[in-house]
Amino acid sequence: MTSNSTNSPTLQSEATAAVHLLDDWFDPIEAGLRDRVREFIQVMIESELEAALSRPRYGRRPKTPDENAERPSGITGHRHGHRSRSLLGTFGRVEIALPRARLDTAEGKTTEWRSTALRAYQRRTRQADSLIAGAYLAGTNTRRVRRALAAVFGGAVSKDTVSRVWRKVKGDWDAWNGRSLAAEPIVRLILDGTVVRVRLDRKATSIALLVVLGVREDGQKVLLAVKNMGGETSQAWRTVLDDLVKRRLRRPEFLIVDGGAGLEQALAALWGDVPTQRCTVHKHRNLLAHAPQRLHDEVSADYNDMIYATSPTEIEERRRAFLRKWRLKCKAVADSLEEAGDRLFTFTRLPRSQWKSARTTNAIERLHEEFKRRIKTQTVLPSAETAALLFWALLAAGQITMRKVDGWQTLTDKLADTPIDLAA
């Protein structure tokens, strides 16, 4: 009979070889270690039970307290068999014969003995949970975590296991959201929002994550809040700020914002007299949006000459020159700059060493970029709360670290009383 297959024997043999490519990567150390894991765990739990019963296995209870005085005393219960327990660790999945026992109580009754090493209903070691959660935070989805860790866990991790591990993080998340901020020596706040796609009512929907970073007296940045909201409205931001005040956050001495109208209104109502810096990067984007493409390089050059001048006097002079030039060349650009007012130059009231860190909201923008990079493979997150939780967990787990702000040594210095001269 003639074969109708289009695959040649050579191609079939190559495909077979590809399937078994990693099968000969045998490691005798790993194999020997995993063979002994089950024995080690059972010995550890048996020893724990022996200590609880104050006698070794097969040791008998004396008939009366006076008999056999040489035997160990203090027996507090009896064994009654074993039960099978499956445990997943970094060593893979093992089946353990867990010993059972009944312990005597002061009331003359008995209660089931519980191991402290292997908790009730525990199916994974904490190290395994940490590894699964860490792989998820590194920027992959639940299904890809399973495939990535298949070699470590012997293929024993399902996407549902990853989801369950992730839900365990929620307890720490809830505690973090409710913690008191009274002891936080915060002197500066950086506020900004970012948009992410989540699944709401079975449909992909865009929501805003409102993020608040604090800067301590020693210059260390710390995440204070991340809330999922429908948008960056005044009401949404006021909800976030009121929650911080409720948790006893002290009044900041300096604010850095992106220039959004909703945030500006919320801050004006709560901390209207706190010096506020408009992000110079956001304003740069606004200026370019008002200019034709062919003028973008020229606008950028003039703007950067002004913003990165080395003294308040130079900034004043270059601002006046910028307005004179662009009122004639493209009035919309000049109007956009004037709209920001002196809030675009509040950083000039700080010591020169702090200008770099105080000009922009780049500290939060970097977090947004790292967050977006890690959720890129998921496209749409399963819920709004998951988005905020994941943002926090990246920092809490050390996947993203934050250094001290530039010029932190002078953070305790008072601001200059006089802002720059806006007269053009």
Side-chain angles (χ1 to χ4, degrees), residues 32-46 84-87 91-98:
L33 176 63
R34 295 190 184 201
D35 287 343
R36 299 297 298 274
V37 162
R38 181 167 62 90
E39 176 185 348
F40 173 78
I41 295 175
Q42 290 196 181
V43 169
M44 181 174 64
I45 297 177
E46 287 283 358
S84 179
R85 172 79 76 83
S86 176
L87 181 67
F91 41 76
R93 187 180 294 280
V94 296
E95 294 294 329
I96 305 167
L98 189 68

Side-chain angles (χ1 to χ4, degrees), residues 137-140 195-197 370-381 387 390-391 394:
L137 287 172
T140 187
V195 176
V196 295
R197 300 274 287 173
E370 289 289 332
F371 176 64
K372 296 288 182 65
R373 184 173 67 82
R374 282 164 168 77
I375 66 173
K376 185 177 180 180
T377 59
Q378 302 184 62
T379 308
V380 179
L381 294 172
L390 181 57
F391 192 105
L394 288 171

